[in-house]
Amino acid sequence: NRSGQAIYRARIMGNLVHNNYNEIYSWAPGKTFIHTGIDEGKGISLQRNNVWNHGGRILVANNLAAYNGYSGVHSNDGDNIDFFSNTAFMNSYTTAVTYGYKKGGSKVGISLAGGDNCRIGNNIVVVDVDTGGAPIVVTDDTTNVKVHTNIVWGTTTNNSELKLDLTQGEKNIIVENPLLARPADGKYQLLSQVTAIDFVPDEDSPAIGAGKPRFATETDYYGHGRDSSNPTIGGIENPHHHLQNSS
């Protein structure tokens, strides 16, 4: 069991989450203040999973998150969480549309804000180059984090916001166009129709065969078997591998 799925107490897998965004300020009753800015509208958002954290890990894998307000995949104050083999694509509605690029948050891809003992591996993250946000964000109050073998695109120098003592080798962030069916052209486009086919890797994609088995599940978004030795990075396995094994 390559990703150790037997050790998980919860699994969020195989979802297509798109066009989820907020248009009003959020407020928790326990707070005595309101930030006059929109900070919600994420694709998959885990909240405060550090209260009960001794009975296994939480796996978030093989999900496709696109055109949401902020991060496609996010955890706030969560321990023992794994973000493996997801595709996050243009999750910046709030910055691009609501605020017209005049302001917005930095979390527009995959992000961890607080927590301990988390891993981010084998993910594809495509962002809007004009947001100023980073594809992968790990805040400085997050401890014992492993970030490895992720493809990011749509950015220049700000390819990650990792406030951690990690070497570039440990990060192993691959800055290349993932060559998905939907072009990663660097600009947010407001789309109402989003399908999983949009995120299938092209046969020349750098994602194919570049993943680490320890960050891969046995099947992908579609339930197709992954290459056990050289899995594809992102939510969808190399379709040519699946067709070869089916013939």
Side-chain angles (χ1 to χ4, degrees):
N1 195 323
R2 293 191 298 278
S3 67
Q5 288 186 70
I7 66 174
Y8 291 107
R9 62 184 172 93
R11 302 175 183 87
I12 301 172
M13 302 176 66
N15 299 284
L16 172 60
V17 184
H18 63 91
N19 295 100
N20 176 52
Y21 53 85
N22 221 15
E23 293 188 322
I24 59 175
Y25 302 148
S26 62
W27 177 66
K31 293 182 178 180
T32 58
F33 60 89
I34 298 176
H35 286 305
T36 55
I38 296 172
D39 59 0
E40 298 297 341
K42 302 176 179 73
I44 295 173
S45 182
L46 281 63
Q47 298 291 323
R48 294 174 178 81
N49 288 288
N50 59 349
V51 177
W52 188 84
N53 56 6
H54 301 292
R57 303 180 66 83
I58 296 175
L59 175 65
V60 181
N62 298 334
N63 298 289
L64 313 175
Y67 301 101
N68 298 294
Y70 278 124
S71 283
V73 182
H74 174 78
S75 171
N76 185 52
D77 293 331
D79 295 348
N80 308 326
I81 293 173
D82 292 335
F83 291 160
F84 291 167
S85 301
N86 300 286
T87 299
F89 192 96
M90 294 289 179
N91 292 287
S92 53
Y93 176 95
T94 301
T95 299
V97 179
T98 304
Y99 290 132
Y101 294 104
K102 294 179 181 178
K103 65 175 182 177
S106 64
K107 301 179 182 68
V108 294
I110 291 178
S111 49
L112 294 171
D116 180 70
N117 193 25
C118 300
R119 298 180 291 183
I120 302 174
N122 281 11
N123 300 285
I124 292 175
V125 187
V126 176
V127 302
D128 181 340
V129 68
D130 290 336
T131 63
I136 299 175
V137 175
V138 178
T139 61
D140 54 5
D141 56 345
T142 313
T143 55
N144 299 315
V145 178
K146 293 182 180 179
V147 180
H148 210 287
T149 318
N150 300 282
I151 291 179
V152 303
W153 188 247
T155 184
T156 52
T157 58
N158 193 27
N159 60 49
S160 64
E161 188 175 313
L162 302 173
K163 298 179 179 178
L164 302 163
D165 185 19
L166 291 177
T167 68
Q168 187 62 37
E170 289 174 314
K171 297 176 189 176
N172 193 24
I173 294 173
I174 304 164
V175 185
E176 288 191 58
N177 188 330
L179 298 178
L180 305 176
R182 178 171 294 282
D185 56 8
K187 288 291 294 180
Y188 183 94
Q189 297 177 359
L190 185 61
L191 298 176
S192 58
Q193 297 297 321
V194 180
T195 67
I197 295 174
D198 295 330
F199 310 109
V200 173
D202 182 79
E203 62 181 348
D204 296 321
S205 170
I208 292 178
K212 302 297 184 186
R214 65 182 182 274
F215 301 137
T217 55
E218 295 179 357
T219 57
D220 70 350
Y221 169 85
Y222 286 112
H224 297 158
R226 287 191 179 272
D227 188 311
S228 59
S229 300
N230 301 290
T232 294
I233 297 174
I236 299 177
E237 178 62 30
N238 173 12
H240 308 287
H241 167 78
H242 166 65
L243 291 174
Q244 289 170 2
N245 289 347
S246 299
S247 60

